[in-house]
Each structure stands twice: as structure tokens, then as C-alpha cells.
Amino acid sequence: MTREQLAMLKMFDRHVESSAQQELGVVAEKTDIQTSIGPFKFLPDYRITYPRIIIRALGELYEEYNKNFIPLAEANMEWKTDYQYCYRIKGLTPINFAVQVDMVGLPDSFLQIAEDEEISQEEIREILRMRIFEIENSLAMYQLLEKIFSSNGQNSFFKINFRSALSKLRKKFQKPIALLAVTEQKHQAMLSSEFGKQAGESVSDAEVSELSGFDRFFGPDDFRKYLMENKGRCDYLLYARTSDPVSRLKDPSLQVEHPLLGDPEMRKVIKANVLTFNIDSPEMDSSRRINDTKEYQPRMKMAFPISSGADLFSLDFAEFLLGGKKGYATYTGSSRLSSQFRSYLHTCGIDPQTVESGETLLRCKPAKCAYGCYGHVVGSLNDNKFRGELRNNMRQREGGYVVQPEMKTPVIENITNGQAYTYIDRNFLLFTGGKPHFAGGFRSLMPVDCHEAKKHRNHGNGSTVWAEIVA
């Protein structure tokens, strides 16, 4: 990061740290979404509009993200037909059709600077790079995404863009598109949370189309039966939902049955027709796994990779700890941090001494096979408890970890009711017609005094209030 870019990043952080007050309106509940979870709270009178320069900068990062899947896809390849629908040109430039970008919320004061073009698109792109938590390549809860901001019979910004993108894919490849849950746990969870079905109920193709935009929904047994009846041929593009069940995300020691991905014949068919880079063999070495990967982050300078906690420390300090001298503060060497980690922190605009002292918190998260906040460890590097928790989590989870400085999130007070919220922005981008398209986003606002906000976990739960982001 250049000196000028670092100055721009610090300017952005000043906007984040300045609390704001605004008339956000009354919180409403969305009750017409067919799901086992909810209802969902939103602010019908508060809408955030991103200027075009922000959208273009996000698009550039999206394209860079896709390019960084080249080595990840190559390592994951098993057959020549793998991911054949996931490339712009066969064998070149992987395309993640849809992504969710979770990032520090963009305060209105910063959006105004961007709107007035007081800073360049390149400077904005580098600010966003350093303030993105992660990019996910598998969207979920389509009905929620489409309906929460629709009203009076008018489709939401997301629904218009998402349905259009699905139609373009169907036309391009002359195939319908099916959702595929690769485990029975995921199948049942999706029936309940995404289609509002009770145990034992099924969902028709018409309902799938109406509620999600896809043409069909396969569970593992459904898909195997379909292939048998269709003589082994798959006539659908597959949008695969392959994340582990929540029970295993919480406890990685739990074993999950993989009736599809554990069968090489089934896995070959799936990888040949899938639209998502997320298909692993259950026996595959962690270095080749691609599901829920964050390995793109170090390549994009968004995070620092570690295979053990020792990778954060200088050799002298690591030997000091291994020698049984546990007192962090008693070390008298020049630096506790490794030169590589110090260099990464400078790239982020962070003084390494503030990390050593514990003033700057760190967030460590699994590099693969986990999403959301599962497996995350947040704390001060000079805290024995934090370091012990990181060691324990890394023993339980394969594939190493990535580390980021914990990012501050802005606070806004709703003048309507006096409630203060901390917030992040969750944006959706689609790749259609050979280029990125912004499909809208959600501003996720959590009351500053709620348990999850205090634990640095901003996600969708009963306390969360949503606001729409448009272009």
C-alpha cells in the first residue's frame, strides 16, 4: 500500500469512528416469507444508495477474486470435465457466478465523498480491499434476499437482478438450473429455513421456482434417483449447497455422511455440471479442498495465512515460548512478531506494536470448510486465553487459519427511537454478460448493547435489523 493509499485508508477509518445520528424510521417486521426462522426486522424508510464509483471498485475486486481461483480450482481438479460451466473461456479465468461481500459498513459521510469523486476509484478499491471481512461464493436464503425489501407488489432490487442473471445462464447454456443439497442434513435444513416446510413435507418444482428462482431442488436421494431414471445424464446446471451442517461447524469432530460427494461417480457428475467452485471429496487432502475457502484472501492481501499460531511470532519469541517461559510481557527481544506478519500489518495500515501490546485485536478464522463466525477467535495477542483458544481451534479444524486485524464498525443512532446500532454492509454481485453486476445489498444493523454485537459477531439473528442497499 502506497503512502497516499494509506492516508486514504486512515481517512476512511476516521469516518467509521465518527458516530452519526439519522432519522432511520420505525422498525417493521416482514412476515410473508415462508421459513422456519424469522420474522425479520427491517427499516422500510431507510435506504442506502451506493455511488457508481463504489460499484465499479467492488466489481474490480470481484474480478480479482475470480482470477485468484485459478490455482484453487487447479488443485481441486479430479476430472477434465470438472467445473466446465464455471469458466469465461474454457480453462481460463474461473467465474464465481454469484458472491456475497461482507465488509465494514460505509458511512453516509464517506459515500458523499465518493459521490463527489473527491478520491479516485483505485483509492476506493484499496480502501475496500482492506475493509472486507470475506467474500463468499455460495448464496443462501433466496426468498429472504428477494422479498424483505419488496412492497406493494413491486420486486426488490435484488430480485430483479438475481432472476435476470439466472435467466441469462439458462439461455447461455440451454439448461434449467437446480439447487442441490449434498447431505441429508443440509437438505432438511434448506426445506425448513428456505422453503418453510415441516418434517416429512416436500417442495414442488413450482414452489421452488416461485420462492427461489431455481427450477428444481434436489436432496441426495432425489438426485441419485433422478440420475438413475435419466440413465446417468444430468440435464440441469447445479447450484450446489455443500457447506457442512451447523452441528459440525460447531463441533468439527462430528462425522457427516456424504452419500453423493463420497461416491466418485456421483461426484464426477456433480463437478461436471456445477456452477459453484465448492465440490470436495470427503477424503481429499486439505491442501486441495475448495469448499468455503478463504485461501484467496492472502493472495489478495486481505488476510495473513498461518498453519500454526507460531507463524505469527518471530523465531526468537517462538523459541522463548517453547522453552516454557510463558510470560508474554517478560520477553526482552526486539519483536515478538514474525517479519512476514509485520509486513502484512503495515500493508493494512496497522502499527505492529499495537498488535504486540494488545491494543489492536486480531480475528483468526478457518481457511476452509467453515462460514459465518464458526471457528472464529477474536482477541489480543498478548492474552494467554486468546492464544490458547486459537491453538485449540487449529487442532480441531483442518486447513490452517487466516488472520486479520479486527475491523471497527461504524455506529449510527436512530433519532426515531434513540436506538444505537453498529452495522456492516453485505453486498451481492453477479457475473453475467462477461462482466460484474451489482445486485444490491443489506445493511446489517445490530443494537450496540446486544450480546452478539458485544462479542464482535454481526450476523442475521433476532436482534438484527436490515436496510436495503441499492445502486
Side-chain angles (χ1 to χ4, degrees), residues 10 15 21 59 75 93 101 111 114 141 172 182 222 236 242 259 268 272 292 326 336 370 395 464:
K10 291 186 179 297
H15 283 274
Q21 291 182 317
T93 316
V101 182
L111 292 176
M141 298 297 293
K172 178 179 179 180
V182 300
D222 305 324
Y236 288 88
T242 61
K268 183 178 182 180
D292 286 324
K326 301 296 185 183
R336 297 173 179 83
R395 287 192 195 106
T464 308

Side-chain angles (χ1 to χ4, degrees), residues 371-384:
Y371 67 89
C373 291
Y374 295 105
H376 288 207
V377 184
V378 181
S380 303
L381 195 57
N382 64 355
D383 182 352
N384 285 332

Side-chain angles (χ1 to χ4, degrees), residues 73-103:
E74 288 177 350
N76 185 257
M77 292 286 283
E78 298 180 87
W79 299 278
K80 289 183 179 180
T81 53
D82 289 359
Y83 304 117
Q84 60 186 332
Y85 295 106
C86 299
Y87 287 87
R88 189 183 308 185
I89 302 172
K90 190 169 184 179
L92 299 172
T93 316
I95 298 298
N96 288 279
F97 154 67
V99 295
Q100 172 181 307
V101 182
D102 290 344
M103 53 190 274

Side-chain angles (χ1 to χ4, degrees), residues 191-212:
L191 282 172
S192 174
S193 64
E194 303 200 25
F195 296 103
K197 297 298 181 180
Q198 302 293 322
E201 291 185 320
S202 60
V203 59
S204 69
D205 292 351
E207 289 176 300
V208 171
S209 178
E210 170 64 24
L211 300 179
S212 73

Side-chain angles (χ1 to χ4, degrees), residues 395-446:
R395 287 192 195 106
Q396 295 173 1
R397 299 176 188 271
E398 291 184 81
Y401 262 56
V402 295
V403 182
Q404 295 174 318
E406 179 69 345
M407 303 175 203
K408 294 180 181 178
T409 54
V411 172
I412 189 169
E413 181 184 340
N414 186 359
I415 297 174
T416 306
N417 58 12
Q419 176 65 61
Y421 299 97
T422 182
Y423 62 90
I424 68 170
D425 286 354
R426 177 165 292 162
N427 294 304
F428 305 97
L429 289 98
L430 309 170
F431 208 96
T432 59
K435 60 184 180 180
H437 289 272
F438 183 66
F442 287 18
R443 176 154 289 180
S444 173
L445 302 106
M446 297 190 76

